[in-house]
């Protein structure tokens, strides 16, 4: 049996969907701005790869309008079922359970987008090549992903730095790359796309909701971090206690991981 192409270390299912809901709210302005910059056009046919609960798929569906179409695919059947249940009045979206590395759609697209997918894969280059194969000439290949090397916290809290380190080592223990952000342009060029462009940002603030994302993420990786003996139950609880306190403290500034957006066009 071949090795899996993904090493997703964050808990999936319903709990994972709730974390993605928080993340989608944080990312909505910058992803919307990205789509305006490209731009996404009315009538485009789009593939949202690793769609999770369908937040980006819904945004794309609204942008392409009734003459366009969006396919959202994800390996987690629970998230796909929840995305379908939340599709609302959007007949121009179709959701499927699929592994992008192994199940390239029969359709072709004007745009493919993957947010927070490549950093969870054991073969991001191969997956990007597979995605590109479903794109028409002139289509856009668009990726957004993390760089966990840049923790942002003021005043400094050792627990926050420990969380960043623990997430990084947990993902790397399964062959994933949580530092992939700066590599995205090179990965795109390796697929043969041209006119590669990049935008970097790092959401941060004092509000509870985005700060609580670090708590949800650490809770999500806890089972694998413990299985890999990267932490102990006592240490994990200490980190979580301090992160929860930071999230509740309006004087503490916390940032999400640095985000790299990169895109290019198929010749």
């Amino acid at each position: 049996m071949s090795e899996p192409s993904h090493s997703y270390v964050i808990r999936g299912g319903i709990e994972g969907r709730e974390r993605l809901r928080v993340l989608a709210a944080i990312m909505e302005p910058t992803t919307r701005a990205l789509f305006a910059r490209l731009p996404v056009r009315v009538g485009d046919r789009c593939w949202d790869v690793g769609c999770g609960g369908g937040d980006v798929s819904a945004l794309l569906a609204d942008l392409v309008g009734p003459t366009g179409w969006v396919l959202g695919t994800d390996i987690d059947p629970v998230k796909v079922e929840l995305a379908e249940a939340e599709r609302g009045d959007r007949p121009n979206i179709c959701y499927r359970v699929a592994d992008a590395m192994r199940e390239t759609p029969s359709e072709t697209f004007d745009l493919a987008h993957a947010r927070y997918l490549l950093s969870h894969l054991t073969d991001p280059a191969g997956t990007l090549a597979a995605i590109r194969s479903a794109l028409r000439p002139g289509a856009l290949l668009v990726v957004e992903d993390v760089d966990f090397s840049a923790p942002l916290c003021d005043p400094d809290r050792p627990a926050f730095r420990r969380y960043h380190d623990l997430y990084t080592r947990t993902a790397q223990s399964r062959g994933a790359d949580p530092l992939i952000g700066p590599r995205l342009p090179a990965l795109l060029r390796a697929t043969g796309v041209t006119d590669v462009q990049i935008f970097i940002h790092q959401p941060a603030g004092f509000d509870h909701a985005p700060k609580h994302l670090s708590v949800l993420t650490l809770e999500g990786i806890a089972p694998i971090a413990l299985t890999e003996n990267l932490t102990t139950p006592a240490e994990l609880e200490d980190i979580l206690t301090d992160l929860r306190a930071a999230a509740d403290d309006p004087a503490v500034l916390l940032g999400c991981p640095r985000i790299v957006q990169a895109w290019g066009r198929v010749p």
Side-chain angles (χ1 to χ4, degrees):
M1 180 180 295
S2 60
E3 290 295 316
S5 61
H6 53 85
S7 291
Y8 197 76
V9 296
I10 305 174
R11 183 184 291 120
I14 294 175
E15 290 176 313
R17 172 61 183 125
E18 292 311 307
R19 174 185 170 275
L20 290 180
R21 204 182 302 280
V22 174
L23 183 57
I26 295 169
M27 288 295 298
E28 195 272 344
T30 51
T31 295
R32 183 180 291 276
L34 170 63
F35 290 160
R37 192 179 298 121
L38 295 173
V40 176
R41 304 165 300 179
V42 171
D44 277 348
R45 294 171 62 84
C46 303
W47 181 15
D48 184 20
V49 193
C51 66
D55 301 289
V56 175
S57 302
L59 174 58
L60 284 169
D62 292 341
L63 292 173
V64 302
T67 59
W69 185 69
V70 178
L71 172 65
T73 62
D74 199 274
I75 61 169
D76 186 341
V78 174
K79 291 198 187 83
V80 170
E81 182 179 353
L82 291 169
E84 181 61 37
E86 297 174 17
R87 183 164 61 92
D89 186 23
R90 293 185 178 92
N92 58 342
I93 300 180
C94 174
Y95 290 110
R96 298 175 192 161
V97 178
D99 181 338
M101 182 64 187
R102 295 184 170 86
E103 302 172 64
T104 304
S106 59
E107 300 91 349
T108 57
F109 301 92
D110 302 298
L111 180 147
H113 170 267
R115 188 172 78 183
Y116 302 145
L117 172 69
L118 299 182
S119 58
H120 295 289
L121 304 181
T122 58
D123 184 13
T127 301
L128 269 182
I131 295 170
R132 184 200 182 283
S133 70
L135 295 178
R136 300 167 175 170
L140 288 164
L141 180 52
V142 187
V143 290
E144 302 181 77
D145 227 310
V146 297
D147 174 11
F148 250 86
S149 69
L152 193 163
C153 177
D154 186 72
D156 180 59
R157 297 180 88 103
F160 189 73
R161 286 186 276 107
R162 177 65 176 134
Y163 149 66
H164 263 248
D165 175 68
L166 187 57
Y167 181 93
T168 299
R169 292 195 295 123
T170 300
Q172 291 172 340
S173 74
R174 296 297 176 95
D177 184 4
L179 312 178
I180 200 170
R183 296 176 51 212
L184 295 180
L187 287 167
L188 286 174
R189 290 192 184 96
T191 71
V193 301
T194 60
D195 191 25
V196 174
Q197 301 182 53
I198 188 172
F199 182 80
I200 299 174
H201 62 105
Q202 187 164 15
F206 298 95
D207 296 338
H208 176 272
K211 290 159 62 175
H212 192 57
L213 183 64
S214 60
V215 176
L216 295 174
T217 302
L218 184 54
E219 289 174 340
I221 69 167
I224 293 180
L226 291 168
T227 297
E228 297 290 338
N229 295 316
L230 298 173
T231 186
T232 64
E235 181 190 40
L236 187 63
E237 189 53 43
D238 285 345
I239 299 171
L240 283 167
T241 297
D242 196 60
L243 286 180
R244 292 183 185 115
D248 291 336
D249 187 342
V252 174
L253 171 68
L254 289 184
C256 298
R258 185 160 51 200
I259 308 301
V260 178
Q261 298 173 326
W263 63 96
R265 193 170 295 278
V266 176

